[in-house]
Amino acid sequence: MILTYAAIAFGFCITGMALVLTLPSDKFLKALQMHKTHTKGQSSYLDLLFVFSWTAICHWLLVVSAIATILLRGGALTILDKSDGRGWRLFVAWLSGLCAYSLIQFLMIVITLSQVGQLYSKELE
């Protein structure tokens, strides 16, 4: 189940990044590029690209970890078997933490896309 979610979310992030890179309006793209979010001078456009790419990386790591789990254990039914050593428990902790973090990152992507959509709607008016 984690592998399916992570693969779909990874595809969603890559698609979102492709949409951001090919924004249909030059005016909107320039407005995002001109808007600075930090004192360092980084633009909102670069922040938007970072959010998508970082979330894609998190979900890629989750995909790789889920595949490793299947290869090492043969399925999810034995993932929490108590007879295994400390190394396996650390891996399960890594997988659980990464899954929780990736879910939160995906929520951030949905919120970010909503905000970009609102800005683009205002720009079209």
Side-chain angles (χ1 to χ4, degrees):
M1 188 168 58
I2 291 172
L3 179 59
T4 303
Y5 158 74
I8 291 170
F10 177 73
F12 183 86
C13 293
I14 297 300
T15 302
M17 202 156 101
L19 289 173
V20 168
L21 287 171
T22 59
L23 284 171
S25 170
D26 286 338
K27 182 181 172 187
F28 183 63
L29 182 62
K30 287 178 183 173
L32 280 178
Q33 185 65 30
M34 297 296 272
H35 184 260
K36 306 296 181 193
T37 57
H38 304 290
T39 57
K40 296 177 185 176
Q42 187 166 328
S43 70
S44 293
Y45 184 67
L46 290 176
D47 285 346
L48 188 60
L49 287 174
F50 174 78
V51 166
F52 277 105
S53 60
W54 178 248
T55 304
I57 289 169
C58 291
H59 283 87
W60 178 82
L61 285 172
L62 191 58
V63 166
V64 170
S65 297
I67 290 172
T69 302
I70 291 169
L71 292 175
L72 293 172
R73 301 299 280 188
L77 295 177
T78 59
I79 194 170
L80 296 176
D81 194 8
K82 293 182 181 180
S83 64
D84 290 334
R86 183 173 182 236
W88 181 251
R89 282 184 260 150
L90 286 174
F91 183 78
V92 170
W94 157 262
L95 185 65
S96 301
L98 184 60
C99 189
Y101 183 74
S102 296
L103 284 167
I104 293 167
Q105 283 296 119
F106 191 73
L107 176 62
M108 291 299 299
I109 285 291
V110 171
I111 292 169
T112 300
L113 274 178
S114 173
Q115 291 173 343
V116 170
Q118 289 174 358
L119 284 174
Y120 190 65
S121 175
K122 288 179 183 176
E123 194 260 329
L124 289 176
E125 289 177 352

